[in-house]
Amino acid sequence: MQKIRQQLRFTGQVQGVGFRYTAYHLAVPLGLTGWVRNEPDGSVLMEVQGTEQDIAELTEKLAAGTFIQIDGITRESLPVDDAERRFRITY
């Protein structure tokens, strides 16, 4: 399957609820690479790379989180970074 890269901005109850930690622990077993960080405006920004199906599975599982409430997701396509090898939490 072809790899894609997307920038995702999550809004809603996404800070202070373990969103980044959950995203990390969902992304790694799916073989996704990229990063996730909190933004000053209360949103969470993520760049994620992998198959479209795996990225969709990540966002579905995040939305099903116990304390996480996603009100919106904006998506932007980005060029694939072939050198990237892991998913990380950034600050």
Side-chain angles (χ1 to χ4, degrees):
M1 294 196 136
Q2 184 176 1
K3 226 188 253 193
I4 64 169
R5 185 178 188 89
Q6 292 184 330
Q7 182 182 77
L8 307 174
R9 182 177 300 273
F10 299 87
T11 56
Q13 186 66 34
V14 293
Q15 287 193 17
V17 292
F19 187 100
R20 293 174 299 158
Y21 177 82
T22 302
Y24 174 84
H25 286 282
L26 291 171
V28 170
L30 290 170
L32 298 171
T33 63
W35 51 264
V36 62
R37 73 174 180 227
N38 286 343
E39 293 291 289
D41 66 0
S43 68
V44 172
L45 189 64
M46 178 189 295
E47 283 192 14
V48 62
Q49 181 168 282
T51 67
E52 190 171 354
Q53 179 180 350
D54 288 339
I55 293 171
E57 185 174 340
L58 171 68
T59 58
E60 288 169 15
K61 288 181 176 180
L62 281 168
T66 305
F67 300 106
I68 296 168
Q69 181 181 334
I70 299 171
D71 294 335
I73 304 173
T74 57
R75 298 173 188 267
E76 181 181 331
S77 293
L78 299 171
V80 171
D81 179 355
D82 289 321
E84 189 172 68
R85 298 286 178 243
R86 64 186 184 102
F87 193 90
R88 65 194 187 284
I89 298 170
T90 64
Y91 300 92

Coordinates of all heavy atoms in Angstrom, one line a residue:
M1 N 0.8 -1.2 0.0 CA 0.0 0.0 0.0 C 0.9 1.2 0.0 O 1.9 1.3 0.6 CB -0.9 0.0 1.2 CG -1.9 -1.0 1.3 SD -3.2 -0.6 2.5 CE -4.6 -1.0 1.6
Q2 N 0.4 2.3 -0.6 CA 1.1 3.5 -0.7 C 1.1 4.3 0.5 O 0.1 4.4 1.2 CB 0.5 4.3 -1.9 CG 1.3 5.6 -2.1 CD 0.8 6.4 -3.3 OE1 -0.2 5.9 -3.9 NE2 1.4 7.5 -3.7
K3 N 2.2 4.9 0.9 CA 2.4 5.7 2.1 C 1.9 7.1 1.7 O 2.2 7.6 0.7 CB 3.8 5.8 2.5 CG 4.1 5.6 3.9 CD 5.6 5.8 4.2 CE 6.3 4.6 4.5 NZ 7.6 4.8 5.1
I4 N 1.2 7.7 2.7 CA 0.8 9.2 2.6 C 1.3 9.9 3.9 O 1.6 9.2 4.9 CB -0.7 9.3 2.4 CG1 -1.5 8.8 3.6 CG2 -1.1 8.7 1.1 CD1 -2.9 9.2 3.6
R5 N 1.3 11.2 3.8 CA 1.6 12.0 5.0 C 0.5 13.1 5.1 O 0.2 13.7 4.1 CB 3.0 12.6 5.0 CG 3.4 13.3 6.2 CD 4.8 13.9 6.1 NE 5.2 14.4 7.4 CZ 5.9 13.8 8.3 NH1 6.1 12.5 8.1 NH2 6.2 14.3 9.4
Q6 N 0.0 13.2 6.3 CA -1.0 14.3 6.6 C -0.7 15.1 7.8 O -0.1 14.5 8.8 CB -2.4 13.6 6.8 CG -3.0 13.0 5.6 CD -4.4 12.4 5.8 OE1 -4.7 12.1 6.9 NE2 -5.2 12.4 4.8
Q7 N -1.1 16.3 7.8 CA -1.1 17.1 9.0 C -2.5 17.2 9.5 O -3.4 17.5 8.7 CB -0.6 18.5 8.7 CG -0.5 19.4 10.0 CD -0.1 20.8 9.7 OE1 -0.8 21.6 9.2 NE2 1.2 21.1 10.0
L8 N -2.7 16.8 10.7 CA -4.1 16.8 11.3 C -4.1 17.7 12.5 O -3.2 17.7 13.3 CB -4.4 15.4 11.8 CG -4.3 14.2 10.8 CD1 -4.5 12.9 11.5 CD2 -5.2 14.4 9.6
R9 N -5.1 18.6 12.5 CA -5.3 19.4 13.7 C -6.7 19.0 14.3 O -7.7 19.0 13.7 CB -5.4 20.9 13.3 CG -5.6 21.8 14.5 CD -5.6 23.3 14.1 NE -4.3 23.7 13.5 CZ -3.2 24.1 14.1 NH1 -3.2 24.1 15.5 NH2 -2.2 24.4 13.5
F10 N -6.5 18.6 15.6 CA -7.7 18.1 16.4 C -8.2 19.2 17.3 O -7.4 19.8 18.0 CB -7.3 16.9 17.2 CG -6.9 15.7 16.4 CD1 -5.5 15.6 16.0 CD2 -7.8 14.8 16.0 CE1 -5.1 14.5 15.3 CE2 -7.4 13.6 15.3 CZ -6.0 13.5 14.9
T11 N -9.5 19.5 17.3 CA -10.0 20.5 18.2 C -11.1 19.8 19.1 O -11.6 18.7 18.7 CB -10.7 21.7 17.5 OG1 -11.7 21.2 16.6 CG2 -9.6 22.5 16.7
G12 N -11.4 20.4 20.2 CA -12.3 19.8 21.2 C -11.6 19.7 22.5 O -10.7 20.4 22.9
Q13 N -12.0 18.6 23.3 CA -11.4 18.3 24.6 C -10.2 17.4 24.2 O -10.3 16.2 24.3 CB -12.4 17.7 25.5 CG -11.9 17.4 26.9 CD -11.7 18.7 27.6 OE1 -12.4 19.7 27.5 NE2 -10.6 18.7 28.5
V14 N -9.1 18.0 23.8 CA -8.0 17.2 23.4 C -6.7 17.5 24.1 O -5.7 16.9 23.8 CB -7.8 17.4 21.8 CG1 -8.9 16.8 21.1 CG2 -7.6 18.9 21.5
Q15 N -6.7 18.5 25.0 CA -5.5 18.7 25.9 C -5.9 18.4 27.3 O -7.0 18.6 27.8 CB -5.1 20.2 25.7 CG -4.4 20.5 24.4 CD -3.6 21.8 24.4 OE1 -3.4 22.4 25.4 NE2 -3.3 22.2 23.2
G16 N -4.9 17.8 28.0 CA -5.1 17.5 29.4 C -5.9 16.2 29.6 O -6.4 15.9 30.7
V17 N -6.0 15.4 28.5 CA -6.8 14.2 28.6 C -6.0 13.0 28.1 O -6.6 11.9 27.9 CB -8.1 14.3 27.8 CG1 -9.1 15.3 28.5 CG2 -7.9 14.7 26.4
G18 N -4.7 13.1 28.0 CA -3.9 12.0 27.6 C -3.9 11.8 26.1 O -3.5 10.7 25.6
F19 N -4.2 12.8 25.3 CA -4.3 12.7 23.8 C -3.0 12.3 23.2 O -2.9 11.3 22.4 CB -4.9 14.0 23.2 CG -5.2 13.9 21.8 CD1 -6.5 13.7 21.4 CD2 -4.2 14.0 20.8 CE1 -6.8 13.6 20.0 CE2 -4.5 13.9 19.5 CZ -5.8 13.7 19.1
R20 N -1.9 13.0 23.5 CA -0.6 12.7 22.9 C -0.1 11.3 23.3 O 0.4 10.6 22.4 CB 0.4 13.8 23.3 CG 0.1 15.2 22.7 CD 1.0 16.2 23.2 NE 0.8 16.3 24.6 CZ 1.7 16.8 25.5 NH1 2.9 17.3 25.0 NH2 1.5 16.9 26.7
Y21 N -0.2 11.0 24.5 CA 0.2 9.7 25.0 C -0.6 8.6 24.3 O -0.1 7.6 23.8 CB 0.0 9.6 26.5 CG 0.3 8.3 27.2 CD1 1.6 7.9 27.5 CD2 -0.7 7.3 27.4 CE1 1.9 6.7 28.1 CE2 -0.4 6.1 28.0 CZ 0.9 5.8 28.3 OH 1.2 4.6 28.9
T22 N -1.9 8.7 24.2 CA -2.8 7.8 23.5 C -2.4 7.7 22.0 O -2.3 6.6 21.5 CB -4.3 8.2 23.7 OG1 -4.6 8.2 25.1 CG2 -5.2 7.2 23.0
A23 N -2.2 8.8 21.4 CA -1.8 8.9 20.0 C -0.5 8.1 19.7 O -0.4 7.3 18.8 CB -1.7 10.3 19.5
Y24 N 0.4 8.3 20.6 CA 1.7 7.6 20.5 C 1.5 6.1 20.6 O 2.0 5.3 19.8 CB 2.7 8.1 21.6 CG 4.0 7.3 21.6 CD1 5.0 7.7 20.8 CD2 4.1 6.3 22.5 CE1 6.2 7.0 20.8 CE2 5.3 5.6 22.5 CZ 6.3 5.9 21.7 OH 7.5 5.2 21.7
H25 N 0.8 5.7 21.6 CA 0.6 4.2 21.8 C -0.3 3.6 20.8 O -0.3 2.3 20.7 CB 0.1 4.0 23.3 CG 1.3 4.2 24.2 ND1 2.3 3.2 24.4 CD2 1.6 5.2 25.0 CE1 3.2 3.7 25.3 NE2 2.8 4.9 25.6
L26 N -1.1 4.3 20.1 CA -1.9 3.8 19.0 C -1.0 3.8 17.7 O -1.2 2.8 16.9 CB -3.1 4.6 18.7 CG -4.2 4.5 19.8 CD1 -5.3 5.5 19.6 CD2 -4.8 3.1 19.9
A27 N -0.2 4.8 17.4 CA 0.5 5.0 16.2 C 1.6 3.9 16.0 O 1.8 3.4 15.0 CB 1.1 6.4 16.1
V28 N 2.3 3.7 17.1 CA 3.5 2.8 17.1 C 3.1 1.4 16.6 O 3.8 0.9 15.6 CB 4.3 2.8 18.4 CG1 5.4 1.7 18.4 CG2 4.9 4.2 18.6
P29 N 2.1 0.7 17.1 CA 1.8 -0.6 16.7 C 1.3 -0.7 15.2 O 1.4 -1.7 14.5 CB 0.7 -1.2 17.6 CG 0.7 -0.2 18.8 CD 1.4 1.0 18.3
L30 N 0.7 0.5 14.8 CA 0.3 0.6 13.4 C 1.4 0.8 12.4 O 1.2 0.8 11.2 CB -0.8 1.7 13.3 CG -2.1 1.4 13.9 CD1 -3.0 2.6 14.0 CD2 -2.9 0.2 13.2
G31 N 2.6 1.1 12.9 CA 3.7 1.3 12.1 C 3.8 2.7 11.5 O 4.4 3.0 10.5
L32 N 3.0 3.6 12.1 CA 3.0 5.0 11.7 C 4.2 5.8 12.2 O 4.7 5.5 13.2 CB 1.7 5.7 12.1 CG 0.4 5.1 11.6 CD1 -0.8 5.7 12.3 CD2 0.3 5.2 10.1
T33 N 4.6 6.8 11.4 CA 5.7 7.7 11.8 C 5.1 9.1 11.9 O 4.1 9.4 11.3 CB 6.9 7.6 10.9 OG1 6.5 8.0 9.6 CG2 7.4 6.2 10.8
G34 N 5.9 10.0 12.5 CA 5.5 11.4 12.6 C 5.6 11.9 14.0 O 6.4 11.5 14.8
W35 N 4.7 12.9 14.4 CA 4.8 13.5 15.7 C 3.4 14.1 16.1 O 2.6 14.3 15.2 CB 5.9 14.6 15.7 CG 5.8 15.6 14.6 CD1 6.5 15.6 13.5 CD2 5.0 16.8 14.6 NE1 6.2 16.7 12.7 CE2 5.2 17.4 13.4 CE3 4.1 17.3 15.5 CZ2 4.6 18.6 13.0 CZ3 3.4 18.5 15.1 CH2 3.7 19.1 13.9
V36 N 3.3 14.4 17.4 CA 2.1 15.0 17.9 C 2.5 16.0 19.0 O 3.4 15.7 19.7 CB 1.1 13.9 18.4 CG1 1.7 13.1 19.6 CG2 -0.2 14.5 18.8
R37 N 1.8 17.2 19.0 CA 2.1 18.2 20.0 C 0.9 19.0 20.3 O 0.0 19.2 19.5 CB 3.3 19.1 19.6 CG 2.9 20.0 18.5 CD 4.0 21.0 18.2 NE 3.6 21.9 17.1 CZ 4.3 22.2 16.1 NH1 5.6 21.7 15.9 NH2 3.9 23.0 15.2
N38 N 0.8 19.5 21.5 CA -0.2 20.5 21.9 C 0.1 21.9 21.3 O 1.3 22.2 21.2 CB -0.2 20.7 23.5 CG -0.9 19.5 24.2 OD1 -1.6 18.7 23.5 ND2 -0.6 19.4 25.4
E39 N -0.9 22.6 21.0 CA -0.7 23.9 20.4 C -1.3 25.0 21.4 O -2.2 24.7 22.2 CB -1.5 24.1 19.1 CG -0.9 23.2 18.0 CD 0.4 23.7 17.5 OE1 0.5 24.8 16.9 OE2 1.4 23.0 17.8
P40 N -0.8 26.2 21.4 CA -1.2 27.2 22.4 C -2.7 27.5 22.3 O -3.3 28.0 23.3 CB -0.4 28.4 22.0 CG 0.8 27.9 21.2 CD 0.4 26.7 20.6
D41 N -3.3 27.3 21.2 CA -4.8 27.6 21.0 C -5.7 26.5 21.6 O -6.9 26.6 21.5 CB -5.1 27.9 19.6 CG -5.0 26.7 18.6 OD1 -4.6 25.6 19.1 OD2 -5.2 26.8 17.4
G42 N -5.1 25.5 22.2 CA -5.9 24.4 22.8 C -6.1 23.2 21.8 O -6.7 22.2 22.3
S43 N -5.6 23.3 20.6 CA -5.8 22.2 19.7 C -4.5 21.3 19.8 O -3.6 21.6 20.5 CB -5.9 22.7 18.3 OG -4.7 23.3 17.8
V44 N -4.6 20.2 19.1 CA -3.4 19.2 19.1 C -3.1 19.1 17.6 O -4.0 18.8 16.8 CB -3.7 17.9 19.7 CG1 -2.6 16.9 19.4 CG2 -4.0 18.0 21.2
L45 N -1.8 19.3 17.3 CA -1.4 19.2 15.9 C -0.6 17.9 15.7 O 0.2 17.5 16.6 CB -0.5 20.4 15.5 CG -0.1 20.5 14.1 CD1 -1.3 20.8 13.2 CD2 0.9 21.7 13.9
M46 N -0.8 17.2 14.6 CA -0.1 15.9 14.4 C 0.3 15.9 12.9 O -0.5 16.3 12.0 CB -1.1 14.7 14.7 CG -0.5 13.4 14.4 SD -1.7 12.0 14.5 CE -2.1 12.1 16.2
E47 N 1.5 15.4 12.7 CA 1.9 15.0 11.3 C 2.1 13.5 11.4 O 2.8 13.0 12.3 CB 3.2 15.7 10.9 CG 2.9 17.1 10.4 CD 4.1 17.7 9.7 OE1 5.0 17.0 9.3 OE2 4.1 19.0 9.6
V48 N 1.4 12.8 10.5 CA 1.4 11.3 10.6 C 1.6 10.8 9.2 O 1.1 11.3 8.2 CB 0.1 10.8 11.3 CG1 -1.1 11.2 10.5 CG2 0.2 9.3 11.5
Q49 N 2.4 9.7 9.1 CA 2.7 9.1 7.9 C 2.5 7.6 7.9 O 2.9 7.0 8.9 CB 4.2 9.4 7.6 CG 4.7 8.9 6.3 CD 6.1 9.5 6.0 OE1 6.2 10.7 5.6 NE2 7.2 8.8 6.3
G50 N 1.9 7.1 6.9 CA 1.6 5.6 6.8 C 0.6 5.4 5.7 O 0.3 6.3 4.9
T51 N -0.1 4.3 5.8 CA -1.1 4.0 4.8 C -2.4 4.8 5.2 O -2.6 5.1 6.4 CB -1.5 2.5 4.7 OG1 -2.1 2.1 5.9 CG2 -0.3 1.7 4.4
E52 N -3.2 5.1 4.2 CA -4.5 5.8 4.5 C -5.3 5.1 5.5 O -5.9 5.6 6.4 CB -5.2 6.1 3.2 CG -6.4 7.0 3.3 CD -7.0 7.4 2.0 OE1 -6.4 7.1 0.9 OE2 -8.0 8.1 2.0
Q53 N -5.3 3.7 5.3 CA -6.1 2.9 6.2 C -5.6 2.9 7.6 O -6.4 3.0 8.6 CB -6.1 1.4 5.7 CG -6.9 0.5 6.5 CD -6.8 -1.0 6.0 OE1 -6.3 -1.2 4.9 NE2 -7.3 -1.9 6.8
D54 N -4.3 2.9 7.8 CA -3.8 2.9 9.2 C -4.0 4.3 9.8 O -4.3 4.4 11.0 CB -2.3 2.6 9.2 CG -2.1 1.1 8.9 OD1 -3.0 0.3 9.1 OD2 -0.9 0.7 8.5
I55 N -3.9 5.4 9.1 CA -4.2 6.7 9.6 C -5.6 6.8 10.0 O -6.0 7.4 11.1 CB -3.7 7.8 8.6 CG1 -2.2 7.8 8.4 CG2 -4.2 9.2 9.1 CD1 -1.7 8.7 7.3
A56 N -6.5 6.3 9.2 CA -8.0 6.3 9.5 C -8.2 5.5 10.8 O -9.0 5.9 11.6 CB -8.8 5.7 8.3
E57 N -7.6 4.4 10.9 CA -7.7 3.6 12.2 C -7.2 4.3 13.4 O -7.9 4.3 14.4 CB -7.0 2.2 12.0 CG -7.2 1.3 13.2 CD -6.6 -0.1 13.0 OE1 -6.3 -0.5 11.9 OE2 -6.4 -0.7 14.1
L58 N -6.1 5.0 13.2 CA -5.6 5.9 14.4 C -6.7 6.9 14.8 O -7.0 7.0 15.9 CB -4.3 6.5 13.9 CG -3.8 7.6 14.9 CD1 -3.3 7.0 16.2 CD2 -2.6 8.4 14.2
T59 N -7.2 7.6 13.8 CA -8.2 8.7 14.2 C -9.5 8.1 14.7 O -10.0 8.7 15.6 CB -8.4 9.6 13.0 OG1 -9.0 8.9 11.9 CG2 -7.2 10.4 12.5
E60 N -9.9 7.0 14.2 CA -11.1 6.3 14.8 C -10.9 5.9 16.2 O -11.8 6.1 17.1 CB -11.5 5.1 13.9 CG -12.1 5.5 12.6 CD -12.2 4.3 11.7 OE1 -12.1 3.1 12.2 OE2 -12.3 4.5 10.5
K61 N -9.7 5.3 16.5 CA -9.4 4.9 17.9 C -9.3 6.1 18.8 O -9.7 6.0 20.0 CB -8.2 4.0 17.9 CG -8.5 2.6 17.3 CD -7.3 1.7 17.4 CE -7.7 0.3 16.9 NZ -6.5 -0.6 16.9
L62 N -8.7 7.2 18.3 CA -8.5 8.4 19.1 C -9.9 8.9 19.5 O -10.2 9.3 20.6 CB -7.7 9.5 18.4 CG -6.2 9.3 18.4 CD1 -5.6 10.2 17.4 CD2 -5.7 9.5 19.8
A63 N -10.8 9.0 18.5 CA -12.2 9.5 18.8 C -12.9 8.6 19.7 O -13.8 9.1 20.4 CB -12.9 9.6 17.4
A64 N -12.6 7.4 19.9 CA -13.3 6.5 20.8 C -12.7 6.5 22.2 O -13.1 5.8 23.1 CB -13.2 5.0 20.3
G65 N -11.6 7.4 22.4 CA -11.0 7.5 23.7 C -12.0 7.9 24.8 O -12.9 8.7 24.6
T66 N -11.7 7.4 26.0 CA -12.6 7.6 27.1 C -12.8 9.1 27.5 O -13.9 9.6 27.7 CB -12.1 6.9 28.4 OG1 -12.0 5.5 28.0 CG2 -13.1 7.0 29.5
F67 N -11.7 9.8 27.6 CA -11.7 11.2 28.0 C -11.6 12.2 26.9 O -11.8 13.4 27.0 CB -10.7 11.5 29.1 CG -10.8 10.6 30.3 CD1 -10.0 9.6 30.6 CD2 -11.9 10.9 31.2 CE1 -10.1 8.8 31.7 CE2 -12.0 10.1 32.3 CZ -11.2 9.0 32.6
I68 N -11.2 11.7 25.7 CA -10.9 12.6 24.6 C -12.3 12.8 23.9 O -13.1 11.9 23.6 CB -10.0 11.8 23.6 CG1 -8.6 11.7 24.2 CG2 -9.9 12.6 22.3 CD1 -7.7 10.7 23.5
Q69 N -12.5 14.1 23.5 CA -13.7 14.5 22.7 C -13.2 15.3 21.6 O -12.9 16.5 21.8 CB -14.7 15.2 23.6 CG -16.0 15.6 22.8 CD -17.0 16.3 23.6 OE1 -17.0 16.2 24.8 NE2 -17.8 17.1 22.9
I70 N -13.2 14.7 20.4 CA -12.8 15.5 19.2 C -14.0 16.1 18.6 O -15.0 15.4 18.2 CB -12.1 14.5 18.2 CG1 -10.9 13.9 18.8 CG2 -11.8 15.2 16.9 CD1 -10.2 12.8 18.0
D71 N -14.0 17.4 18.5 CA -15.1 18.2 17.8 C -14.8 18.4 16.3 O -15.7 18.6 15.6 CB -15.3 19.5 18.5 CG -15.8 19.4 19.9 OD1 -16.4 18.3 20.3 OD2 -15.6 20.3 20.7
G72 N -13.5 18.4 16.0 CA -13.2 18.7 14.6 C -11.8 18.2 14.2 O -10.9 18.2 15.1
I73 N -11.6 17.8 13.0 CA -10.3 17.5 12.5 C -10.1 18.1 11.1 O -10.9 18.0 10.2 CB -10.1 15.9 12.3 CG1 -10.4 15.1 13.5 CG2 -8.7 15.6 11.8 CD1 -10.4 13.6 13.3
T74 N -9.0 18.9 11.0 CA -8.7 19.5 9.7 C -7.5 18.7 9.2 O -6.6 18.3 10.0 CB -8.4 21.0 9.8 OG1 -7.3 21.2 10.7 CG2 -9.6 21.8 10.2
R75 N -7.5 18.4 7.9 CA -6.5 17.6 7.3 C -5.8 18.4 6.1 O -6.5 19.1 5.4 CB -7.1 16.3 6.7 CG -7.7 15.4 7.7 CD -8.4 14.3 7.0 NE -9.2 13.5 8.0 CZ -8.8 12.5 8.6 NH1 -7.6 12.0 8.4 NH2 -9.5 11.8 9.5
E76 N -4.5 18.2 6.1 CA -3.7 18.8 4.9 C -2.7 17.7 4.5 O -2.1 17.1 5.3 CB -3.0 20.0 5.4 CG -2.2 20.7 4.3 CD -1.4 21.9 4.9 OE1 -1.9 22.5 5.8 OE2 -0.4 22.2 4.3
S77 N -2.7 17.5 3.2 CA -1.7 16.5 2.6 C -0.4 17.1 2.6 O -0.2 18.3 2.2 CB -2.2 16.1 1.2 OG -3.4 15.3 1.3
L78 N 0.6 16.3 2.9 CA 2.0 16.8 2.9 C 2.9 15.8 2.1 O 2.5 14.6 1.9 CB 2.6 16.8 4.3 CG 1.9 17.8 5.3 CD1 2.4 17.6 6.7 CD2 2.1 19.2 4.9
P79 N 4.1 16.2 1.7 CA 4.9 15.2 1.0 C 5.4 14.2 2.0 O 5.7 14.5 3.2 CB 6.1 16.1 0.5 CG 5.7 17.5 0.7 CD 4.6 17.5 1.7
V80 N 5.6 13.0 1.5 CA 6.1 11.9 2.4 C 7.6 12.1 2.7 O 8.3 12.6 1.9 CB 6.0 10.5 1.6 CG1 6.7 9.4 2.3 CG2 4.5 10.2 1.4
D81 N 7.9 11.8 4.0 CA 9.3 12.0 4.4 C 9.9 10.6 4.5 O 9.7 9.9 5.5 CB 9.3 12.7 5.8 CG 10.7 12.9 6.4 OD1 11.7 12.3 5.8 OD2 10.8 13.5 7.4
D82 N 10.6 10.1 3.5 CA 11.2 8.8 3.5 C 12.2 8.5 4.6 O 12.5 7.4 4.9 CB 11.7 8.4 2.1 CG 10.7 8.3 1.1 OD1 9.6 7.7 1.4 OD2 10.8 8.7 -0.1
A83 N 12.8 9.6 5.1 CA 13.8 9.4 6.1 C 13.3 9.2 7.5 O 14.0 8.8 8.5 CB 14.8 10.6 6.1
E84 N 12.0 9.5 7.7 CA 11.4 9.4 9.1 C 11.2 7.9 9.5 O 10.7 7.2 8.7 CB 10.1 10.1 9.1 CG 9.5 10.3 10.4 CD 8.2 11.2 10.4 OE1 7.2 10.8 9.8 OE2 8.3 12.3 10.9
R85 N 11.5 7.6 10.7 CA 11.5 6.2 11.1 C 10.7 5.9 12.4 O 10.5 4.8 12.7 CB 12.9 5.7 11.4 CG 13.8 5.8 10.2 CD 13.5 4.6 9.3 NE 14.3 4.7 8.1 CZ 13.9 4.9 6.8 NH1 12.6 5.1 6.6 NH2 14.7 5.0 5.8
R86 N 10.2 7.0 13.0 CA 9.4 6.7 14.3 C 8.4 7.7 14.5 O 8.3 8.8 13.8 CB 10.4 6.7 15.5 CG 11.1 8.0 15.8 CD 12.1 7.8 16.9 NE 12.7 9.1 17.2 CZ 12.4 9.8 18.2 NH1 11.5 9.4 19.1 NH2 13.0 11.0 18.5
F87 N 7.5 7.5 15.5 CA 6.5 8.4 15.9 C 6.9 9.0 17.3 O 7.3 8.2 18.1 CB 5.1 7.7 16.0 CG 4.0 8.7 16.1 CD1 3.3 9.2 15.0 CD2 3.5 9.1 17.4 CE1 2.3 10.1 15.2 CE2 2.5 10.0 17.5 CZ 1.9 10.5 16.4
R88 N 6.7 10.2 17.5 CA 7.2 10.8 18.8 C 6.2 11.9 19.2 O 5.5 12.5 18.5 CB 8.6 11.4 18.6 CG 8.7 12.5 17.7 CD 10.2 12.8 17.3 NE 10.3 14.0 16.6 CZ 10.0 14.1 15.3 NH1 9.6 13.1 14.6 NH2 10.2 15.3 14.7
I89 N 6.3 12.2 20.5 CA 5.6 13.3 21.1 C 6.6 14.5 21.2 O 7.7 14.3 21.7 CB 5.1 12.9 22.6 CG1 4.1 11.8 22.5 CG2 4.5 14.1 23.3 CD1 3.8 11.2 23.9
T90 N 6.2 15.6 20.7 CA 7.0 16.8 20.7 C 6.4 17.8 21.7 O 5.2 17.8 22.0 CB 7.3 17.4 19.4 OG1 6.0 17.8 18.8 CG2 7.9 16.4 18.4
Y91 N 7.2 18.8 22.1 CA 6.7 19.8 23.0 C 7.0 21.2 22.5 O 7.8 21.4 21.6 CB 7.4 19.6 24.4 CG 7.1 18.3 25.0 CD1 8.0 17.2 24.7 CD2 6.0 18.1 25.7 CE1 7.7 15.9 25.3 CE2 5.7 16.8 26.3 CZ 6.5 15.8 26.0 OH 6.2 14.5 26.6

